[in-house]
Amino acid sequence: KAGVTQTPRYLIKTRGQQVTLSCSPISGHRSVSWYQQTPGQGLQFLFEYFSETQRNKGNFPGRFSGRQFSNSRSEMNVSTLELGDSALYLCASSLNTGTDTQYFGPGTRLTVL
Amino acid sequence: EDKVVQSPLSLVVHEGDTVTLNCSYEVTNFRSLLWYKQEKKAPTFLFMLTSSGIEKKSGRLSSILDKKELSSILNITATQTGDSAIYLCAVRNTGTASKLTFGTGTRLQVTL
């Protein structure tokens, strides 16, 4: 069974631009969660999507948004990029919303110059 | 706000040593505690502990949940260089707004 895949793996953008990251969950998994990981803050929860609906949201500004498609694939968008958005963005999938165990993808390393 | 604190922040040991990593938490309506290992990029799942399963073991790794002390430990015996990684602890709350809250991790380095 294929694991969680994320594209692209690396991305370099400049301040003010926007970016879209993609996540394909494990086959059969319907919940996708997104996290931002930085050296100082660790893994911070961005949001969770289940059945194309956002179920939960972390404490991030509205520049961070996401969506989920009918095949459970999810995208995350960050608009008006800031230097502080440089981070590893991880997505994790689970069978259902609220399922304890989440399986992580390899992440997208975003660098904002 | 839910909070997870891990200690130590980093640790260097020699191959063959036994290590204990700590995780303490403050969470409203605790449901479960999870341990992950992160080597390069993707954290990989190690254990999940709940009120009905407070002790888990897999090979040289074991973990215990202390619900009274709101904490957990992860033990690694006979460490190997392949155990070098960041170990992450996360807790999940119950309810419709259930989510995982992660600690900042413990960086373990095992040297020869």
Side-chain angles (χ1 to χ4, degrees):
Chain A
K1 202 180 217 183
V4 179
T5 58
Q6 291 187 245
T7 57
R9 294 292 307 279
Y10 302 91
L11 207 48
I12 300 175
K13 292 284 187 179
T14 56
R15 277 181 300 174
Q17 287 187 306
Q18 75 163 21
V19 66
T20 299
L21 313 181
S22 180
C23 172
S24 292
I26 292 171
S27 177
H29 285 197
R30 297 164 63 197
S31 171
V32 174
S33 296
W34 288 90
Y35 296 86
Q36 181 194 67
Q37 188 176 32
T38 57
Q41 299 293 320
L43 263 156
Q44 292 189 288
F45 173 75
L46 281 156
F47 27 66
E48 180 193 8
Y49 285 87
F50 177 78
S51 291
E52 303 177 62
T53 302
Q54 187 180 90
R55 290 301 177 111
N56 203 351
K57 189 177 191 304
N59 296 325
F60 278 82
R63 301 185 297 107
F64 292 81
S65 63
R67 58 178 175 167
Q68 187 180 35
F69 302 94
S70 57
N71 62 358
S72 295
R73 188 177 71 85
S74 177
E75 286 182 348
M76 189 192 99
N77 185 274
V78 188
S79 63
T80 319
L81 284 166
E82 300 176 1
L83 295 178
D85 296 333
S86 294
L88 180 66
Y89 289 88
L90 291 160
C91 90
S93 78
S94 57
L95 274 171
N96 289 297
T97 183
T99 302
D100 296 280
T101 307
Q102 294 182 346
Y103 298 90
F104 284 84
T108 295
R109 170 72 65 186
L110 172 64
T111 301
V112 182
L113 302 175
Chain B
E1 190 172 320
D2 299 341
K3 187 176 176 183
V4 177
V5 177
Q6 293 185 244
S7 63
L9 289 179
S10 66
L11 195 54
V12 181
V13 300
H14 290 109
E15 201 172 46
D17 287 350
T18 293
V19 298
T20 299
L21 310 183
N22 301 286
C23 174
S24 63
Y25 60 88
E26 296 173 21
V27 60
T28 306
N29 300 321
F30 172 87
R31 171 170 161 163
S32 60
L33 184 145
L34 290 83
W35 285 96
Y36 285 86
K37 177 183 181 182
Q38 186 175 25
E39 292 179 82
K40 298 287 187 183
K41 291 286 172 64
T44 54
F45 172 75
L46 293 175
F47 297 119
M48 183 180 76
L49 302 161
T50 65
S51 299
S52 57
I54 61 171
E55 190 166 351
K56 293 286 176 73
K57 183 175 169 62
S58 176
R60 296 178 294 103
L61 277 68
S62 63
S63 183
I64 298 174
L65 175 68
D66 188 335
K67 283 207 70 180
K68 186 178 176 183
E69 296 296 325
L70 305 185
S71 66
S72 174
I73 59 171
L74 176 68
N75 279 319
I76 308 175
T77 60
T79 52
Q80 303 170 357
T81 55
D83 295 326
S84 297
I86 297 173
Y87 290 84
L88 298 166
C89 172
V91 293
R92 181 179 281 282
N93 57 326
T94 61
T96 54
S98 174
K99 64 181 176 75
L100 280 177
T101 300
F102 281 84
T104 52
T106 293
R107 182 180 292 275
L108 172 65
Q109 184 180 352
V110 182
T111 62
L112 291 171

